Amino acid sequence: MLVAFAVPTPAAAAPVGSFTRQALYAGLSRIQANELQGKIDNYIQTYGGRQISANQVEFDGGLYTATVPGELAVRNLSAAAAVDNCTYAAPLYSGWFCAYRAAGYQGDILQWYNCGRYNMPWGGTGSWINNQTQGTPAYLLNQNLSVVNQSFAYAANLSFNWTPVWYVDVCY
């Protein structure tokens, strides 16, 4: 008599999306890649936009670039877009205003190129660079649309309190 036994097979690994593959190829661990994707998914769900690389979201008027979990500065995980359009690597008067989640031009970056009013999603100590065309203003506004800070390109602030800022007006 012949008896057949079903041999359990290991569960198939979850399929890896192209942005996760990109993150893994860039040297991130699976945990870092998953946490990074969570940050990107959360940003898109809250503010909208379209993911263009493992750590970047393109939205009308600009870019959001997320840091890799456990790292202080953003890094290029693809050639989809420039990582930072405001710091020393960018040309002077590049046309961008960049807001950094942490002081010293560190942490996640919001970068705006198109004129408009944009939500500021974080508080605490961060930094910013106004690298728009020469003399172009940027206004940081509170919840009542009163000016908290204004600058004219080129200007920068290495340590800035984002807490009272609810909106950023670029090139008004």
Side-chain angles (χ1 to χ4, degrees):
M1 173 159 107
L2 184 61
V3 178
F5 293 96
V7 178
T9 58
V16 177
S18 63
F19 294 123
T20 300
R21 273 195 302 276
Q22 187 181 75
L24 295 171
Y25 183 76
L28 277 64
S29 69
R30 177 68 95 155
I31 291 171
Q32 286 177 310
N34 289 340
E35 287 179 16
L36 178 60
Q37 188 60 53
K39 283 174 74 171
I40 295 296
D41 291 344
N42 185 54
Y43 184 88
I44 292 171
Q45 183 178 21
T46 305
Y47 301 102
R50 178 179 68 89
Q51 186 170 4
I52 60 170
S53 77
N55 66 333
Q56 287 191 310
V57 173
E58 180 181 62
F59 55 86
D60 188 27
L63 294 169
Y64 165 72
T65 308
T67 54
V68 170
E71 297 182 7
L72 296 176
V74 297
R75 62 178 163 121
N76 193 349
L77 299 180
S78 83
V83 172
D84 187 339
N85 291 295
C86 290
T87 56
Y88 63 90
L92 186 61
Y93 305 124
S94 66
W96 293 83
F97 181 92
C98 299
Y100 302 82
R101 185 173 210 130
Y105 316 120
Q106 301 276 329
D108 297 352
I109 308 173
L110 281 167
Q111 304 173 81
W112 297 287
Y113 186 81
N114 291 348
C115 296
R117 176 167 293 153
Y118 301 97
N119 292 318
M120 173 47 64
W122 53 68
T125 302
S127 46
W128 56 262
I129 299 174
N130 183 352
N131 196 23
Q132 298 177 91
T133 55
Q134 187 172 10
T136 303
Y139 299 97
L140 308 179
L141 309 172
N142 67 16
Q143 63 183 340
N144 300 317
L145 303 180
S146 297
V147 175
V148 173
N149 184 281
Q150 69 178 19
S151 66
F152 298 89
Y154 180 91
N157 193 320
L158 190 62
S159 182
F160 181 79
N161 180 14
W162 286 117
T163 303
V165 176
W166 288 48
Y167 307 100
V168 177
D169 275 2
V170 178
C171 69
Y172 277 105

